[in-house]
Amino acid sequence: MMFKRFYTKSPSERRQILEADGARNLNDLAGIPNAEIETLDRMSENVIGAWRLPLGVVPQFTVNKKCHRIAMATEEPSVIAAVNRISKLINACQDGIHCSFDSPVTMAQISGAVSLAQANVFKQIINQNKAQWLSLANEQNPQLAELGGGAFDIQLEILPPEWNELWRETFVIFKLYVHTLDAMGANAVNTMAEALLRYIENEYVFFTPCMAIVSNASEGRLVHASIDIPFAILEEITGMPGSNFAMLIARASALADRCPERAVTHNKGILNGIIAAAIPLGQDTRAIQAAAYDYACKTGVHLPLVRWNMSSKSLHGEMHIPLPIGSVGGLRKIPAVNAAFAFDKIDNYAELCSVLASVGMTQNLGALWALTTEGIQAGHMKLHNRKGAV
Ligand code: MEV
């Protein structure tokens, strides 16, 4: 009974109830200044405070000719150390890392059961009514359409009865494609998809709804990053002959290409960087990870998201990664997130994409440098040990 309507209480009332239930050390677990608690309470459910992560910084980091700062929240010190170390290489290259991004498209699936014959009827229905369905979707978010985005296509996928041994029923999946502009877009797209699901359910009695939800497979949101680091710069900063260094890195990259078990770890390091930078920027880090691993496995084999190879003069890095992220929306109501955008000198969606992709790429080069020279224990773990990790 003591937890009845717990969610309606204030954070301090929730703490009192938890203490009456025997919870101890709540300040250690979740202590924060009172001024912030109301904002946090609006952001999540049953809030009693905040969990703290150390925030480290990379003071200079050049992407598309612009010098950014990066705030990174992570408990793994070597992540920030690696980006700082490699930022010297990146900054020494004329334009830094080059980044571009595809116009972001988010897809939602609206699914339900029908008979096989009715599934084919839906092929005609969708052909005849696509424009009307898209209007209905766009009515849910007129602002997005006004800004030049919005729902622009619906495709039908049919799962024949054999797809499920147990029920043996045909499934239709309507895939709704939406230009989400500068937003991450999951909320906007989910609202559209749910409106369509309700509409289809009401309009076509033979359709039994299953669900409507965004797909985190975010291939429509690819970001591309690349850099050429001349041997002379490699030599100056690493103290190693440039071609030797490039060869170590290119070989380590080839190993990740050939060996999925290595690719998983290679990609984990990339996400170490992206997630640490994405947390202060208020991004949905789980969506980023889900999309990255899905994309890495697109061929059925886990492949590296960043690749390095060498020419006769330079080390070349290339990255392609889906980033379901946004620079506008509810996140911008959070003062700490706005402060992070300002601190990082991120002025728009393009810069958000560029910075996050570049941090991932940089992190990977830092990890490969450590792994192929002094090794993980000497370099990478030295910092871990400082905080008493085992
Ligand atoms: C550790 O968190 C990340 C690394 O394992 C990444 C890698 O192996 O490339 C160092």
Side-chain angles (χ1 to χ4, degrees), residues 21-281:
D21 187 48
R24 293 289 171 265
N25 304 328
L26 291 186
N27 269 343
D28 289 345
L29 175 68
I32 52 157
N34 272 342
E36 286 175 41
I37 193 79
E38 274 182 30
T39 314
L40 296 178
D41 195 30
R42 282 196 297 273
M43 281 168 65
S44 192
E45 186 75 2
N46 283 357
V47 168
I48 60 164
W51 168 253
R52 285 151 294 181
L53 274 175
L55 189 79
V57 301
V58 181
Q60 287 186 314
F61 187 78
T62 313
V63 184
N64 286 342
K65 300 187 184 167
K66 178 168 173 180
C67 185
H68 292 270
R69 282 187 289 257
I70 307 176
M72 299 177 78
T74 176
E75 85 301 344
E76 196 173 333
S78 54
V79 172
I80 297 170
V83 179
N84 266 304
R85 197 178 189 201
I86 300 300
S87 67
K88 295 183 181 66
L89 279 176
I90 307 290
N91 296 338
C93 297
Q94 215 179 8
D95 302 341
I97 295 181
H98 295 268
C99 274
S100 62
F101 66 99
D102 299 350
S103 169
V105 173
T106 300
M107 188 266 279
Q109 297 176 299
I110 300 146
S111 55
V114 291
S115 74
L116 190 53
Q118 289 154 348
N120 287 320
V121 171
F122 263 130
K123 279 189 193 161
Q124 284 165 10
I125 292 174
I126 193 72
N127 278 340
Q128 283 160 9
N129 298 309
K130 194 184 278 189
Q132 186 207 338
W133 288 24
L134 288 172
S135 297
L136 176 69
N138 283 323
E139 278 163 27
Q140 313 307 312
N141 195 326
Q143 209 191 348
L144 192 59
E146 272 161 31
L147 291 168
F152 65 93
D153 196 14
I154 301 173
Q155 296 290 334
L156 173 64
E157 182 182 349
I158 298 175
L159 302 185
E162 309 77 76
W163 80 277
N164 186 305
E165 281 297 313
L166 210 53
W167 294 288
R168 301 210 132 256
E169 60 191 359
T170 305
F171 242 61
V172 284
I173 304 173
F174 300 100
K175 296 183 182 177
L176 173 70
Y177 292 87
V178 184
H179 283 300
T180 45
L181 304 179
D182 296 352
M184 190 271 191
N187 277 336
V189 175
N190 281 338
T191 308
M192 291 178 179
E194 285 189 359
L196 272 177
L197 180 75
R198 296 282 90 87
Y199 172 79
I200 300 166
E201 180 185 8
N202 288 334
E203 201 72 8
Y204 305 100
V205 283
F206 54 83
F207 173 82
T208 308
C210 179
M211 66 170 82
I213 188 73
V214 73
S215 167
N216 286 118
S218 304
E219 231 180 314
R221 313 191 58 124
L222 283 184
V223 180
H224 316 277
S226 66
I227 190 161
D228 258 306
I229 313 178
F231 288 163
I233 292 180
L234 291 176
E235 193 152 338
E236 188 188 314
I237 302 222
T238 67
M240 244 185 273
S243 59
N244 287 13
F245 181 84
M247 167 133 158
L248 290 178
I249 303 299
R251 196 164 56 186
S253 173
L255 180 66
D257 238 320
R258 174 66 185 78
C259 177
E261 288 94 338
R262 172 60 205 148
V264 178
T265 317
H266 180 98
N267 289 341
K268 189 266 182 182
I270 294 164
L271 286 161
N272 275 347
I274 296 177
I275 299 302
I279 288 173
L281 293 164

